Amino acid sequence: FFFFFFFFVVVNLGNAFWQKKPVVPKGGLACDDGWTALEGSSINDDFCDCGDGADELLTSACARTSVAATFACVNEGFEAATVRLSVVGDGICDCCDGGDEARGRCENRCDEEAALERERRARERRLREDGLFVRAQYVARAREATLASDAELEEARKSLEDVEPKIAELRAELRKREAALKERREAKERHIEETFNATAEAALKEQGLGLGATVFAATRLAAAFAEIETLLDATTSILDDTIADGLDDVEVLSVGVDANEAYGKNDLGNFEHHCDALSAALHIADIPDQPSAVALLRTVAAAVNDQKDEKLVLENVLGSLAAALVKHKKQDDDLNDDDLTVCGEDQTCPTATTTLEGLKKDLDELEAAKKRADEAVKRVEKDRKLDFGPEDAYLPLKDKCLTRRIGKYDWEICPYGTAKQDRTSLGTFKKWSDDDYRSWHFDNGQYCAGVGARTLDVRLECGDDDAILDVNEKETCKYSATLMTPAACRPFDDDDLEETKDDGVTSTTS
């Protein structure tokens, strides 16, 4: 192994030692550190032979070489600079002192360039100073907003601590009162049924009413109070299946509507006529016995008793039994839900709001207050997760949208929000693109065929106002923008002060 390694090293070192740089022909040129030798005819022949471009100083043939030679511009009175050797002697004054061309060919513009540069830097400094002044206001507003959000968060949390136990207490009380109401309603229904039964039994016994009178009363009671479907269902359950299956529901309902309309107009003649037709359509004559007829009447009367609107007096139409039932109906509505007060076990009512509806209203108000507090907590905690840069200077931009028309499009950028080109989404704020707080990244915009979701990168520059400076589509559906804002202004450092001291440029004139 060592033998082969030693042999390899000796051979390669020998090749390097024995290899010699070419001889430069008379009138020729050596370039590329002497490893390339050219004839004189190859110099400035508009063809780049040397990798460092040294053979084409007076042409642009080597302008695109990766190792192009350069010429130093002294530019006395302004800033030193470098240009490619390929532009030296091309008749165009690239150096402000004209050093790249023959003496006397170019006018020295360095003092003029220096003056323009000083003016440009002065403008930038004034803009930066104005921006820093506004930025200080942004920082102050951010502090105030932070204090306000802290107070809002504390208030919302205290509100939740206060209302949540009250909500639980009211919900429990509401369940208790609703259970009591349900129990009393059921008691009321039992009372109605018992009273009806007693009234019906007394009327039947006193007047000796038979089956015919009973179904007569049931039919007319249903027609008068528009309980035709109740009458139909009850009759169908009583009749024999073979008869019930033959009933024409459409005919029954149609005749019943006609009877009800006649009753509403107090047209008792037509009312009786339609009721007779209703009895025939229902095969009332086929009801087998008196108990069945009484059950039918009870079902219809129970439905009528649930109605709240009052009808005409039925004494002249339905006979004594129906009249007694209607009279009973007017007397049985003796329970109002508002009678259920919200009081303690000792029957003391601590507040004026004691009805069931009042209890529900109080609960609704507390739940609305809880919802507002929950939303405030979520909003503040969400904002706290956002990075508003040094001293929270970017916080005042959070709920702000900047717009500008550039070209044929209206552009909109909402910091920490969304970005749009007209109605096309360019994305939603995702993150800062760097640790220096100089750029934002928006992603997940509207889909672009062959590319995917649109994106936007925003470069931030110091300025005295918030404004969109430019927007470009750097690649298909990949956008870049420049946004000016005081929040991007940085305080002056030592280098800035030193540069300001001498304006950053020098001049040959006094």
Side-chain angles (χ1 to χ4, degrees):
F1 171 78
F2 289 105
F3 172 76
F4 287 111
F5 176 75
F6 178 75
F7 178 78
F8 173 80
V9 172
V10 170
V11 169
N12 282 278
L13 288 176
N15 288 337
F17 178 78
W18 288 313
Q19 187 176 4
K20 295 182 179 180
K21 294 181 179 181
V23 177
V24 180
K26 186 177 181 179
L29 173 71
C31 58
D32 298 333
D33 294 331
W35 294 104
T36 302
L38 301 178
E39 297 284 348
S41 59
S42 297
I43 300 174
N44 294 318
D45 63 349
D46 206 25
F47 183 82
C48 190
D49 298 286
C50 298
D52 59 10
D55 62 316
E56 297 296 325
L57 299 182
L58 301 181
T59 73
S60 59
C62 292
R64 296 183 179 277
T65 57
S66 59
V67 190
T70 58
F71 176 83
C73 298
V74 177
N75 289 346
E76 184 177 354
F78 187 41
E79 297 175 336
T82 59
V83 297
R84 290 180 178 273
L85 279 176
S86 58
V87 303
V88 175
D90 63 354
I92 298 175
C93 301
D94 296 287
C95 300
C96 70
D97 63 0
D100 59 315
E101 300 299 324
R103 183 180 298 275
R105 181 176 181 83
C106 299
E107 180 183 354
N108 190 321
R109 309 185 315 277
C110 288
D111 284 350
E112 180 183 346
E113 296 266 351
L116 292 174
E117 179 63 16
R118 283 194 297 272
E119 183 180 348
R120 183 190 68 79
R121 292 187 181 184
R123 285 197 307 269
E124 287 186 353
R125 179 176 178 80
R126 288 194 296 271
L127 182 65
R128 188 173 175 183
E129 288 173 343
D130 292 342
L132 284 170
F133 178 77
V134 179
R135 183 184 185 277
Q137 297 176 346
Y138 279 18
V139 171
R141 286 166 53 187
R143 290 197 190 102
E144 293 175 359
T146 300
L147 291 174
S149 65
D150 289 343
E152 182 183 14
L153 182 62
E154 182 179 0
E155 181 181 355
R157 286 173 174 169
K158 286 182 178 179
S159 176
L160 289 174
E161 292 176 359
D162 179 57
V163 302
E164 285 176 344
K166 293 181 180 179
I167 289 175
E169 181 180 350
L170 280 179
R171 284 175 177 170
E173 185 65 23
L174 184 60
R175 287 193 296 268
K176 176 182 176 181
R177 298 300 171 179
E178 287 178 337
L181 177 61
K182 180 181 179 183
E183 182 178 349
R184 292 191 62 180
R185 282 175 175 167
E186 291 174 349
K188 174 185 174 181
E189 291 174 359
R190 289 194 299 271
H191 170 73
I192 291 173
E193 184 177 358
E194 290 169 359
T195 304
F196 169 78
N197 290 340
T199 303
E201 292 294 338
L204 289 170
K205 182 177 181 180
E206 178 183 350
Q207 301 177 32
L209 296 177
L211 184 149
T214 304
V215 296
F216 174 90
T219 303
R220 282 150 181 76
L221 193 61
F225 285 85
E227 290 292 345
I228 308 303
E229 291 188 15
T230 301
L231 178 66
L232 175 61
D233 293 340
T235 304
T236 302
S237 65
I238 292 172
L239 292 175
D240 184 81
D241 290 344
T242 56
I243 299 175
D245 292 342
L247 295 181
D248 188 341
D249 295 357
V250 175
E251 180 185 3
V252 170
L253 295 174
S254 176
V255 175
V257 169
D258 292 339
N260 180 258
E261 290 178 352
Y263 181 73
K265 297 175 182 179
N266 202 22
D267 185 356
L268 301 184
N270 275 324
F271 176 70
E272 287 292 337
H273 170 72
H274 291 307
C275 284
D276 290 339
L278 179 62
S279 298
L282 284 167
H283 290 265
I284 291 293
D286 292 324
I287 291 180
D289 48 41
Q290 178 70 358
S292 299
V294 172
L296 176 65
L297 181 57
R298 286 175 180 173
T299 301
V300 173
V304 170
N305 277 328
D306 286 339
Q307 295 190 34
K308 299 299 180 183
D309 55 325
E310 298 296 336
K311 298 291 185 180
L312 298 176
V313 179
L314 306 180
E315 292 183 1
N316 296 327
V317 180
L318 306 184
S320 301
L321 176 59
L325 295 176
V326 171
K327 182 179 180 181
H328 163 64
K329 171 189 177 299
K330 294 179 180 179
Q331 297 174 347
D332 66 19
D333 194 12
D334 59 353
L335 177 63
N336 190 315
D337 291 350
D338 286 344
D339 292 338
L340 291 177
T341 57
V342 183
C343 303
E345 293 182 359
D346 58 354
Q347 298 303 308
T348 60
C349 301
T351 65
T353 306
T354 59
T355 66
L356 190 63
E357 289 304 316
L359 179 64
K360 291 179 179 179
K361 181 179 179 181
D362 289 346
L363 182 59
D364 289 342
E365 291 176 353
L366 285 175
E367 289 181 335
K370 180 180 182 298
K371 182 179 180 181
R372 290 192 297 270
D374 282 330
E375 290 174 348
V377 170
K378 291 179 181 178
R379 183 179 66 256
V380 173
E381 290 182 342
K382 180 182 178 182
D383 287 348
R384 285 188 170 183
K385 294 178 181 179
L386 296 174
D387 186 350
F388 295 112
E391 300 181 281
D392 290 334
Y394 288 90
L395 192 151
L397 276 67
K398 182 178 72 70
D399 297 320
K400 191 173 185 179
C401 290
L402 307 176
T403 59
R404 183 176 178 182
R405 186 168 187 84
I406 301 176
K408 59 181 181 179
Y409 298 111
D410 290 320
W411 303 87
E412 179 183 81
I413 299 176
C414 303
Y416 301 97
T418 59
K420 293 188 296 184
Q421 175 195 35
D422 288 339
R423 296 184 178 181
T424 302
S425 170
L426 304 183
T428 303
F429 176 81
K430 179 68 174 178
K431 62 179 181 179
W432 289 92
S433 299
D434 52 31
D435 296 332
D436 199 32
Y437 296 99
R438 292 294 188 184
S439 60
W440 291 326
H441 180 67
F442 291 71
D443 67 5
N444 200 30
Q446 186 171 320
Y447 177 79
C448 181
V451 177
R454 286 173 166 82
T455 63
L456 170 67
D457 290 302
V458 181
R459 185 167 60 89
L460 302 168
E461 291 187 356
C462 172
D464 58 355
D465 196 7
D466 300 313
I468 298 173
L469 299 182
D470 61 60
V471 183
N472 296 290
E473 189 173 5
K474 54 185 180 180
E475 298 177 26
T476 303
C477 298
K478 305 295 180 183
Y479 301 84
S480 63
T482 303
L483 188 148
M484 176 180 71
T485 174
C489 297
R490 304 295 175 87
F492 292 99
D493 54 25
D494 293 341
D495 292 338
D496 295 322
L497 296 175
E498 185 64 28
E499 180 178 297
T500 304
K501 186 176 180 181
D502 61 6
D503 293 325
V505 295
T506 59
S507 174
T508 57
T509 59
S510 59

